[in-house]
Amino acid sequence: MSNSSIPPHILVIGTGGTIAGLTTNLGNGAYQAGQVAISTLLSQINTKFLIKNIQLSNIDSCDLSESLLSKLGAQVREALADSNVMGVVITHGTDTMEETATFLEFVCGGLSRNLGKKVVLTGAMLPSDHPQADGPQNLSEAIQFAGETGSKGGIWAVMGSKPIPALGLVKGHSSHTDAFFEEMLPNDGIQVSSDLPVPPDNQWPWVEIITSHSGARPETITFLENHGVRGIVLAGTGSGTVHEQLAIPLERFIGAGGAVVRASRIGKGHIDGTLANGRLANALAGGSLNPAKARIALQLALFAAAQSGANALSWRDYFARMVGLSRSR
Ligand code: SIN
């Protein structure tokens, strides 16, 4: 599909974040994210590319909703399919950038690689009116990276002059401007995936993250189960280990058809299939996905499984494939 009246360009989608933030009068560096329009941010940078922009939202990304992810997924797919769009840049709050990157990887990573177009997330750690604002440089570099021709497509982030592939993206510091790093995943290499469907607004399966810790209480799991949760990601200790007080109700939840994935609250490293003590033997391992990424992946797997008709793949099939992908990149 193409809109022939618009020459080749990069589409920049504004969603908010500190990159669009403004200082408040509360002092101590306080600011409010998601205040400045994407058109204003773009007017502050130089680029050789023709740019079109869309303001999809202007939020603090701690308020990221499933409805916004649905809209973003549809918008990015439409843009990728437009032959006059060379690449897509998304300005985003840094706090949940990993979740959006994971979502986009699993719903349009294959499409972007097949078309050789990049989708690039960027943001900032300092608000737009800060004297050392890092947003303009990040935005310029993201646009430059998205517009490079002759390179492979895919879902990326550009932060602090570093291009980082979506599934390796980790926010590893809460305040440094150099807050992002790339988690090197095992079995580096490119694999073309078939993309999963984007859940429409209001059809995202309910999945929660539960952290295992000293003094954990079984009532937490019972409460969620009684209120209709479909899946639980365990942010386990160490290698995804789980307190016995959580393991018992989680086993019962799995037995009743609930979906459980084991990740680690450490947020780095790789979680394998089984625990030496045999707990949660019927949960799936989250591989290299940290709990926030595993939660998005589990939602997409549950939704995809619910959509597939006869000869349906289960959520386990979809999730295992995603973990395989996360290990291969
Ligand atoms: C946000 O995530 O929207 C606020 C924090 C940030 O962008 O760094």
Side-chain angles (χ1 to χ4, degrees), residues 5 33 79 87 168 212 236 241-242 245 253 259 274 284 321:
S5 62
S212 191
T241 50
V242 57
Q245 292 298 318
F253 177 57
T274 51
L284 280 198
R321 197 184 78 185

Side-chain angles (χ1 to χ4, degrees), residues 139-208:
L139 182 53
S140 294
E141 291 179 350
I143 289 172
Q144 180 62 33
F145 185 63
E148 273 172 12
T149 50
S151 58
K152 54 186 187 257
I155 315 297
W156 296 80
V158 169
M159 288 295 294
S161 302
K162 289 180 286 203
I164 303 177
L167 293 181
L169 183 70
V170 178
K171 183 172 181 180
H173 202 283
S174 58
S175 53
H176 280 176
T177 47
D178 191 16
F180 282 83
F181 66 89
E182 177 177 354
E183 167 81 337
M184 291 300 177
L185 304 171
N187 307 328
D188 195 34
I190 291 297
Q191 184 178 335
V192 175
S193 61
S194 48
D195 297 326
L196 295 181
V198 175
D201 190 12
N202 297 329
Q203 290 187 42
W204 287 70
W206 181 20
V207 174
E208 289 292 334

Side-chain angles (χ1 to χ4, degrees), residues 2 24 117 119 123 151 213 216 310:
S2 90
T24 65
K117 295 183 187 182
V119 177
S151 58
H213 50 75

Side-chain angles (χ1 to χ4, degrees), residues 15-21 31-34 59-63 92-97 123-126 159 171 174 180:
T15 71
T18 295
I19 191 169
Y31 68 91
Q32 203 164 350
I59 59 163
D60 184 322
S61 82
C62 70
D63 294 329
H92 197 290
T94 64
D95 287 349
T96 55
M97 194 183 282
M125 293 297 290
L126 296 170
M159 288 295 294
K171 183 172 181 180
S174 58
F180 282 83

Side-chain angles (χ1 to χ4, degrees), residues 17-267:
T18 295
I19 191 169
L22 285 178
T23 310
T24 65
N25 57 11
L26 295 174
N28 286 330
Y31 68 91
Q32 203 164 350
Q35 300 299 300
V36 182
I38 188 61
S39 52
T40 306
L41 300 180
L42 285 165
S43 70
Q44 293 161 358
I45 63 159
N46 289 318
T47 171
K48 63 181 182 187
F49 297 107
L50 176 64
I51 305 290
K52 300 283 169 196
N53 73 77
I54 294 175
Q55 187 83 56
L56 204 61
S57 63
N58 213 350
I59 59 163
D60 184 322
S61 82
C62 70
D63 294 329
L64 181 63
S65 65
E66 289 157 352
S67 145
L68 181 56
L69 285 176
S70 296
K71 265 196 232 156
L72 183 63
Q75 186 72 64
V76 170
R77 280 184 174 179
E78 186 185 319
L80 286 170
D82 184 337
S83 55
N84 287 325
V85 173
M86 304 158 63
V88 179
V89 170
I90 302 164
T91 55
H92 197 290
T94 64
D95 287 349
T96 55
M97 194 183 282
E98 286 166 60
E99 290 173 57
T100 298
T102 302
F103 165 70
L104 290 174
E105 175 61 41
F106 289 132
V107 301
C108 55
L111 179 65
S112 66
R113 278 186 290 281
N114 287 340
L115 294 169
K117 295 183 187 182
K118 293 199 211 74
V119 177
V120 185
L121 290 145
T122 194
M125 293 297 290
L126 296 170
S128 67
D129 57 349
H130 190 283
Q132 277 91 44
D134 51 336
Q137 184 172 346
N138 285 340
L139 182 53
S140 294
E141 291 179 350
I143 289 172
Q144 180 62 33
F145 185 63
E148 273 172 12
T149 50
S151 58
K152 54 186 187 257
I155 315 297
W156 296 80
V158 169
M159 288 295 294
S161 302
K162 289 180 286 203
I164 303 177
L167 293 181
L169 183 70
V170 178
K171 183 172 181 180
H173 202 283
S174 58
S175 53
H176 280 176
T177 47
D178 191 16
F180 282 83
F181 66 89
E182 177 177 354
E183 167 81 337
M184 291 300 177
L185 304 171
N187 307 328
D188 195 34
I190 291 297
Q191 184 178 335
V192 175
S193 61
S194 48
D195 297 326
L196 295 181
V198 175
D201 190 12
N202 297 329
Q203 290 187 42
W204 287 70
W206 181 20
V207 174
E208 289 292 334
I209 299 172
I210 293 293
T211 303
S212 191
H213 50 75
S214 51
R217 296 185 181 205
E219 294 90 328
T220 319
I221 308 298
T222 318
F223 176 87
L224 288 172
E225 197 179 356
N226 289 344
H227 285 78
V229 78
R230 277 291 294 116
I232 294 176
V233 172
L234 174 77
T237 32
S239 57
T241 50
V242 57
H243 197 294
E244 62 181 348
Q245 292 298 318
L246 294 180
I248 294 164
L250 280 172
E251 294 281 12
R252 194 189 54 233
F253 177 57
I254 294 170
V260 175
V261 165
R262 276 193 312 111
S264 171
R265 68 184 199 181
I266 291 178

